[in-house]
mmCIF file of all heavy atoms in Angstrom:
data_model
loop_
_atom_site.group_PDB
_atom_site.id
_atom_site.type_symbol
_atom_site.label_atom_id
_atom_site.label_comp_id
_atom_site.label_asym_id
_atom_site.label_seq_id
_atom_site.Cartn_x
_atom_site.Cartn_y
_atom_site.Cartn_z
ATOM 1 N N HIS L 119 -9.726 -18.045 23.897
ATOM 2 C CA HIS L 119 -11.180 -17.771 24.064
ATOM 3 C C HIS L 119 -12.003 -19.069 23.974
ATOM 4 O O HIS L 119 -12.824 -19.334 24.788
ATOM 5 C CB HIS L 119 -11.634 -16.765 23.037
ATOM 6 C CG HIS L 119 -13.098 -16.536 23.001
ATOM 7 N ND1 HIS L 119 -13.701 -15.698 23.925
ATOM 8 C CD2 HIS L 119 -14.087 -16.949 22.160
ATOM 9 C CE1 HIS L 119 -15.009 -15.657 23.680
ATOM 10 N NE2 HIS L 119 -15.257 -16.418 22.637
ATOM 11 N N LEU L 120 -11.676 -19.837 22.908
ATOM 12 C CA LEU L 120 -12.426 -21.090 22.681
ATOM 13 C C LEU L 120 -12.085 -22.137 23.725
ATOM 14 O O LEU L 120 -12.959 -22.839 24.262
ATOM 15 C CB LEU L 120 -12.157 -21.638 21.294
ATOM 16 C CG LEU L 120 -12.600 -20.772 20.106
ATOM 17 C CD1 LEU L 120 -12.198 -21.420 18.808
ATOM 18 C CD2 LEU L 120 -14.138 -20.589 20.102
ATOM 19 N N ARG L 121 -10.755 -22.268 24.035
ATOM 20 C CA ARG L 121 -10.292 -23.286 24.989
ATOM 21 C C ARG L 121 -10.907 -23.072 26.372
ATOM 22 O O ARG L 121 -11.379 -24.003 27.019
ATOM 23 C CB ARG L 121 -8.748 -23.238 25.033
ATOM 24 C CG ARG L 121 -8.130 -24.330 25.858
ATOM 25 C CD ARG L 121 -6.689 -24.011 26.247
ATOM 26 N NE ARG L 121 -6.644 -22.791 27.040
ATOM 27 C CZ ARG L 121 -5.626 -21.923 27.002
ATOM 28 N NH1 ARG L 121 -4.605 -22.086 26.184
ATOM 29 N NH2 ARG L 121 -5.658 -20.850 27.761
ATOM 30 N N ASP L 122 -10.929 -21.834 26.813
ATOM 31 C CA ASP L 122 -11.441 -21.516 28.155
ATOM 32 C C ASP L 122 -12.992 -21.358 28.153
ATOM 33 O O ASP L 122 -13.542 -21.063 29.178
ATOM 34 C CB ASP L 122 -10.811 -20.222 28.660
ATOM 35 C CG ASP L 122 -9.335 -20.369 28.920
ATOM 36 O OD1 ASP L 122 -8.800 -21.520 28.783
ATOM 37 O OD2 ASP L 122 -8.625 -19.333 29.144
ATOM 38 N N ARG L 123 -13.607 -21.553 27.042
ATOM 39 C CA ARG L 123 -15.036 -21.433 26.853
ATOM 40 C C ARG L 123 -15.560 -20.142 27.485
ATOM 41 O O ARG L 123 -16.517 -20.071 28.226
ATOM 42 C CB ARG L 123 -15.732 -22.631 27.551
ATOM 43 C CG ARG L 123 -15.406 -23.899 26.900
ATOM 44 C CD ARG L 123 -16.118 -25.067 27.553
ATOM 45 N NE ARG L 123 -15.625 -26.340 27.042
ATOM 46 C CZ ARG L 123 -15.990 -26.890 25.847
ATOM 47 N NH1 ARG L 123 -16.887 -26.296 25.169
ATOM 48 N NH2 ARG L 123 -15.474 -28.026 25.466
ATOM 49 N N ASN L 124 -14.887 -19.015 27.136
ATOM 50 C CA ASN L 124 -15.285 -17.715 27.602
ATOM 51 C C ASN L 124 -16.455 -17.201 26.828
ATOM 52 O O ASN L 124 -16.583 -17.513 25.646
ATOM 53 C CB ASN L 124 -14.149 -16.728 27.513
ATOM 54 C CG ASN L 124 -13.006 -17.065 28.466
ATOM 55 O OD1 ASN L 124 -13.247 -17.664 29.513
ATOM 56 N ND2 ASN L 124 -11.812 -16.566 28.126
ATOM 57 N N GLN L 125 -17.259 -16.347 27.469
ATOM 58 C CA GLN L 125 -18.277 -15.604 26.695
ATOM 59 C C GLN L 125 -17.583 -14.309 26.139
ATOM 60 O O GLN L 125 -18.021 -13.807 25.127
ATOM 61 C CB GLN L 125 -19.442 -15.173 27.601
ATOM 62 C CG GLN L 125 -20.626 -16.168 27.516
ATOM 63 C CD GLN L 125 -20.233 -17.498 28.157
ATOM 64 O OE1 GLN L 125 -19.813 -17.538 29.277
ATOM 65 N NE2 GLN L 125 -20.436 -18.562 27.454
ATOM 66 N N VAL L 126 -16.583 -13.830 26.835
ATOM 67 C CA VAL L 126 -15.820 -12.734 26.311
ATOM 68 C C VAL L 126 -14.340 -12.896 26.701
ATOM 69 O O VAL L 126 -14.020 -13.308 27.815
ATOM 70 C CB VAL L 126 -16.364 -11.388 26.835
ATOM 71 C CG1 VAL L 126 -16.388 -11.255 28.354
ATOM 72 C CG2 VAL L 126 -15.536 -10.212 26.248
ATOM 73 N N THR L 127 -13.461 -12.569 25.749
ATOM 74 C CA THR L 127 -12.031 -12.533 26.041
ATOM 75 C C THR L 127 -11.526 -11.150 25.536
ATOM 76 O O THR L 127 -11.703 -10.780 24.381
ATOM 77 C CB THR L 127 -11.300 -13.652 25.321
ATOM 78 O OG1 THR L 127 -11.872 -14.889 25.683
ATOM 79 C CG2 THR L 127 -9.793 -13.625 25.626
ATOM 80 N N VAL L 128 -10.932 -10.417 26.469
ATOM 81 C CA VAL L 128 -10.470 -9.087 26.177
ATOM 82 C C VAL L 128 -8.952 -9.188 25.833
ATOM 83 O O VAL L 128 -8.217 -9.839 26.582
ATOM 84 C CB VAL L 128 -10.620 -8.128 27.391
ATOM 85 C CG1 VAL L 128 -10.199 -6.699 27.019
ATOM 86 C CG2 VAL L 128 -12.009 -8.221 27.932
ATOM 87 N N ILE L 129 -8.552 -8.541 24.792
ATOM 88 C CA ILE L 129 -7.085 -8.466 24.475
ATOM 89 C C ILE L 129 -6.551 -7.292 25.258
ATOM 90 O O ILE L 129 -6.986 -6.172 25.118
ATOM 91 C CB ILE L 129 -6.839 -8.365 23.016
ATOM 92 C CG1 ILE L 129 -7.398 -9.597 22.284
ATOM 93 C CG2 ILE L 129 -5.311 -8.206 22.709
ATOM 94 C CD1 ILE L 129 -7.211 -9.649 20.765
ATOM 95 N N THR L 130 -5.538 -7.585 26.111
ATOM 96 C CA THR L 130 -5.002 -6.505 26.972
ATOM 97 C C THR L 130 -3.487 -6.340 26.712
ATOM 98 O O THR L 130 -2.863 -7.211 26.090
ATOM 99 C CB THR L 130 -5.216 -6.891 28.452
ATOM 100 O OG1 THR L 130 -4.323 -7.974 28.817
ATOM 101 C CG2 THR L 130 -6.634 -7.244 28.781
ATOM 102 N N ALA L 131 -2.909 -5.283 27.288
ATOM 103 C CA ALA L 131 -1.501 -5.052 27.110
ATOM 104 C C ALA L 131 -1.006 -4.349 28.404
ATOM 105 O O ALA L 131 -1.776 -3.615 29.047
ATOM 106 C CB ALA L 131 -1.228 -4.198 25.941
ATOM 107 N N ARG L 132 0.253 -4.562 28.707
ATOM 108 C CA ARG L 132 0.904 -3.794 29.771
ATOM 109 C C ARG L 132 1.684 -2.644 29.113
ATOM 110 O O ARG L 132 2.501 -2.904 28.200
ATOM 111 C CB ARG L 132 1.866 -4.669 30.594
ATOM 112 C CG ARG L 132 1.083 -5.498 31.592
ATOM 113 C CD ARG L 132 1.975 -6.052 32.667
ATOM 114 N NE ARG L 132 1.257 -7.101 33.345
ATOM 115 C CZ ARG L 132 0.298 -6.865 34.257
ATOM 116 N NH1 ARG L 132 0.008 -5.682 34.623
ATOM 117 N NH2 ARG L 132 -0.334 -7.919 34.791
ATOM 118 N N VAL L 133 1.459 -1.455 29.564
ATOM 119 C CA VAL L 133 2.159 -0.318 28.926
ATOM 120 C C VAL L 133 2.760 0.567 30.023
ATOM 121 O O VAL L 133 2.343 0.575 31.166
ATOM 122 C CB VAL L 133 1.169 0.517 28.074
ATOM 123 C CG1 VAL L 133 0.724 -0.225 26.883
ATOM 124 C CG2 VAL L 133 -0.012 1.037 28.914
ATOM 125 N N SER L 134 3.829 1.293 29.692
ATOM 126 C CA SER L 134 4.474 2.125 30.710
ATOM 127 C C SER L 134 3.630 3.324 31.074
ATOM 128 O O SER L 134 3.592 3.799 32.183
ATOM 129 C CB SER L 134 5.867 2.536 30.215
ATOM 130 O OG SER L 134 5.750 3.104 28.955
ATOM 131 N N ASP L 135 2.900 3.895 30.101
ATOM 132 C CA ASP L 135 2.004 4.998 30.388
ATOM 133 C C ASP L 135 0.591 4.673 30.002
ATOM 134 O O ASP L 135 0.194 4.742 28.833
ATOM 135 C CB ASP L 135 2.498 6.242 29.586
ATOM 136 C CG ASP L 135 1.596 7.411 29.873
ATOM 137 O OD1 ASP L 135 0.786 7.360 30.834
ATOM 138 O OD2 ASP L 135 1.735 8.454 29.125
ATOM 139 N N PRO L 136 -0.216 4.262 31.002
ATOM 140 C CA PRO L 136 -1.587 3.851 30.696
ATOM 141 C C PRO L 136 -2.634 4.964 30.574
ATOM 142 O O PRO L 136 -3.790 4.755 30.342
ATOM 143 C CB PRO L 136 -1.926 2.952 31.861
ATOM 144 C CG PRO L 136 -1.108 3.479 32.983
ATOM 145 C CD PRO L 136 0.085 4.102 32.416
ATOM 146 N N THR L 137 -2.164 6.219 30.650
ATOM 147 C CA THR L 137 -3.032 7.402 30.662
ATOM 148 C C THR L 137 -4.015 7.347 29.457
ATOM 149 O O THR L 137 -3.550 7.107 28.331
ATOM 150 C CB THR L 137 -2.236 8.702 30.539
ATOM 151 O OG1 THR L 137 -1.254 8.670 31.537
ATOM 152 C CG2 THR L 137 -3.118 9.929 30.747
ATOM 153 N N GLY L 138 -5.282 7.517 29.753
ATOM 154 C CA GLY L 138 -6.276 7.630 28.700
ATOM 155 C C GLY L 138 -6.965 6.286 28.376
ATOM 156 O O GLY L 138 -8.046 6.234 27.855
ATOM 157 N N TYR L 139 -6.319 5.174 28.700
ATOM 158 C CA TYR L 139 -6.870 3.837 28.399
ATOM 159 C C TYR L 139 -7.827 3.379 29.483
ATOM 160 O O TYR L 139 -7.734 3.788 30.652
ATOM 161 C CB TYR L 139 -5.728 2.798 28.253
ATOM 162 C CG TYR L 139 -4.903 2.955 27.011
ATOM 163 C CD1 TYR L 139 -3.693 3.523 27.052
ATOM 164 C CD2 TYR L 139 -5.409 2.416 25.819
ATOM 165 C CE1 TYR L 139 -2.887 3.600 25.871
ATOM 166 C CE2 TYR L 139 -4.608 2.525 24.637
ATOM 167 C CZ TYR L 139 -3.371 3.090 24.638
ATOM 168 O OH TYR L 139 -2.645 3.175 23.529
ATOM 169 N N GLY L 140 -8.655 2.448 29.159
ATOM 170 C CA GLY L 140 -9.413 1.675 30.148
ATOM 171 C C GLY L 140 -8.503 0.741 30.881
ATOM 172 O O GLY L 140 -7.663 0.111 30.271
ATOM 173 N N ARG L 141 -8.685 0.665 32.214
ATOM 174 C CA ARG L 141 -7.814 -0.214 33.066
ATOM 175 C C ARG L 141 -8.527 -1.541 33.268
ATOM 176 O O ARG L 141 -9.767 -1.622 33.476
ATOM 177 C CB ARG L 141 -7.511 0.411 34.410
ATOM 178 C CG ARG L 141 -6.949 1.793 34.362
ATOM 179 C CD ARG L 141 -5.580 1.807 33.607
ATOM 180 N NE ARG L 141 -4.790 2.984 34.028
ATOM 181 C CZ ARG L 141 -4.981 4.184 33.588
ATOM 182 N NH1 ARG L 141 -5.967 4.452 32.679
ATOM 183 N NH2 ARG L 141 -4.285 5.184 34.065
ATOM 184 N N ILE L 142 -7.668 -2.637 33.275
ATOM 185 C CA ILE L 142 -8.196 -3.977 33.526
ATOM 186 C C ILE L 142 -8.243 -4.237 35.022
ATOM 187 O O ILE L 142 -7.177 -4.200 35.707
ATOM 188 C CB ILE L 142 -7.296 -5.024 32.851
ATOM 189 C CG1 ILE L 142 -7.162 -4.739 31.340
ATOM 190 C CG2 ILE L 142 -7.851 -6.431 33.114
ATOM 191 C CD1 ILE L 142 -8.483 -4.773 30.530
ATOM 192 N N ILE L 143 -9.426 -4.469 35.536
ATOM 193 C CA ILE L 143 -9.574 -4.754 37.018
ATOM 194 C C ILE L 143 -9.704 -6.271 37.166
ATOM 195 O O ILE L 143 -10.501 -6.910 36.458
ATOM 196 C CB ILE L 143 -10.876 -4.056 37.529
ATOM 197 C CG1 ILE L 143 -10.922 -2.578 37.147
ATOM 198 C CG2 ILE L 143 -10.971 -4.241 39.056
ATOM 199 C CD1 ILE L 143 -9.822 -1.690 37.653
ATOM 200 N N ARG L 144 -8.821 -6.828 37.987
ATOM 201 C CA ARG L 144 -8.866 -8.262 38.244
ATOM 202 C C ARG L 144 -9.308 -8.545 39.645
ATOM 203 O O ARG L 144 -9.051 -7.755 40.546
ATOM 204 C CB ARG L 144 -7.509 -8.868 37.942
ATOM 205 C CG ARG L 144 -7.142 -8.861 36.450
ATOM 206 C CD ARG L 144 -5.764 -9.445 36.204
ATOM 207 N NE ARG L 144 -5.371 -9.427 34.801
ATOM 208 C CZ ARG L 144 -5.518 -10.428 33.958
ATOM 209 N NH1 ARG L 144 -6.080 -11.578 34.348
ATOM 210 N NH2 ARG L 144 -5.158 -10.326 32.686
ATOM 211 N N ASP L 145 -9.941 -9.719 39.869
ATOM 212 C CA ASP L 145 -10.371 -10.130 41.214
ATOM 213 C C ASP L 145 -9.238 -10.760 41.981
ATOM 214 O O ASP L 145 -8.153 -10.868 41.490
ATOM 215 C CB ASP L 145 -11.651 -10.986 41.171
ATOM 216 C CG ASP L 145 -11.325 -12.348 40.497
ATOM 217 O OD1 ASP L 145 -10.136 -12.710 40.391
ATOM 218 O OD2 ASP L 145 -12.295 -13.011 40.071
ATOM 219 N N GLY L 146 -9.573 -11.188 43.186
ATOM 220 C CA GLY L 146 -8.541 -11.775 44.080
ATOM 221 C C GLY L 146 -7.828 -12.962 43.485
ATOM 222 O O GLY L 146 -6.662 -13.268 43.790
#
Side-chain angles (χ1 to χ4, degrees):
H119 174 77
L120 295 177
R121 186 196 62 213
D122 296 351
R123 296 179 189 281
N124 292 334
Q125 265 69 53
V126 56
T127 303
V128 185
I129 298 180
T130 72
R132 279 195 198 283
V133 293
S134 51
D135 180 12
T137 310
Y139 286 103
R141 307 297 203 282
I142 303 299
I143 312 297
R144 290 179 181 264
D145 65 16

